[in-house]
Amino acid sequence: RLRSGPLAKVGRRRGEPGKEPSPKALVKRAATEREAGDLAAAEASLRLAAAKVSKGSSGNSTKLGPWAKVAAYELALLLSQRGKHDEADSFLAQVGFTYKLSPSILDGTCGSGDDGAENVVAMYDGVLPSPLLGALRDAFAPSSPFWAEHGYPTPSFFSYNVSLDDSSAKGADLIGELAKFVVPLAQKSFPGIF
């Protein structure tokens, strides 16, 4: 069921009234709904798009387009954040995931007194200054140009490699600033890797 109002136009193509929205349109609509704080509507939009994964290629999601898989992933993330972990795991399995972060990290119930597991993972909360955290949130917000400029969603993995010795590298200002706070914490938790 399409909603009325400005969001309803996202999923329709001209000249095709009543046609089911594409997974891409549904994912974009869900992002808009999520940014507006309407998590129930975002979940419903993602369920429509992710249903194409469930109905797809009998457990083999490789024949599906990237947007149906993105929808399943985004739905799993949203479900986990809302405490629906078993259902989230089902969607993650459909797109080939075998591991995920702890449910308590995803739904926010992880206690701030927990420092992690020695030599496996470390957790720190509240270590970034507010201006840096705000800049990171802006840089990676769903509406940020970062995602379009990097061709998201992409079927290929890519990463950035910034020298920790030269955090003044061009284009790495924000990452360099982040490293100034993260590297000392990593050195404290995992002294053997530095």
Side-chain angles (χ1 to χ4, degrees):
R1 179 176 151 235
L2 290 175
R3 297 174 51 164
S4 61
L7 294 179
K9 295 178 183 174
V10 173
R12 293 190 197 139
R13 294 182 179 154
R14 283 193 181 168
E16 301 179 46
K19 182 175 179 177
E20 188 175 309
S22 69
K24 179 179 180 179
L26 290 166
V27 168
K28 289 184 176 205
R29 180 167 77 192
T32 301
E33 292 163 338
R34 188 177 182 141
E35 280 187 46
D38 193 347
L39 300 183
E43 183 178 326
S45 294
L46 290 170
R47 282 185 185 281
L48 284 173
K52 297 173 187 326
V53 172
S54 301
K55 294 176 188 172
S57 44
S58 302
N60 180 2
S61 64
T62 57
K63 295 180 182 177
L64 296 168
W67 287 100
K69 289 185 266 186
V70 168
Y73 170 81
E74 290 291 330
L75 177 59
L77 180 60
L78 182 60
L79 290 170
S80 288
Q81 290 169 333
R82 299 182 87 192
K84 302 174 183 179
H85 301 291
D86 290 339
E87 191 176 4
D89 292 349
S90 169
F91 282 101
L92 289 173
Q94 289 174 29
V95 292
F97 282 84
T98 52
Y99 298 100
K100 74 172 190 178
L101 291 173
S102 168
S104 64
I105 291 172
L106 293 167
D107 67 17
T109 59
C110 185
S112 60
D114 184 2
D115 292 332
E118 187 175 345
N119 295 319
V120 178
V121 66
M123 181 184 87
Y124 294 92
D125 194 15
V127 297
L128 298 179
S130 294
L132 177 57
L133 184 59
L136 288 164
R137 284 183 175 148
D138 290 345
F140 298 109
S143 59
S144 163
F146 172 87
W147 306 108
E149 290 170 1
H150 289 77
Y152 264 74
T154 176
S156 303
F157 173 80
F158 67 88
S159 184
Y160 292 93
N161 186 352
V162 177
S163 172
L164 296 178
D165 295 329
D166 183 15
S167 62
S168 64
K170 246 191 186 312
D173 298 338
L174 191 57
I175 299 301
E177 284 298 309
L178 176 62
K180 287 179 186 176
F181 291 92
V182 174
V183 169
L185 298 173
Q187 288 170 329
K188 175 183 166 191
S189 297
F190 308 101
I193 64 170
F194 286 92

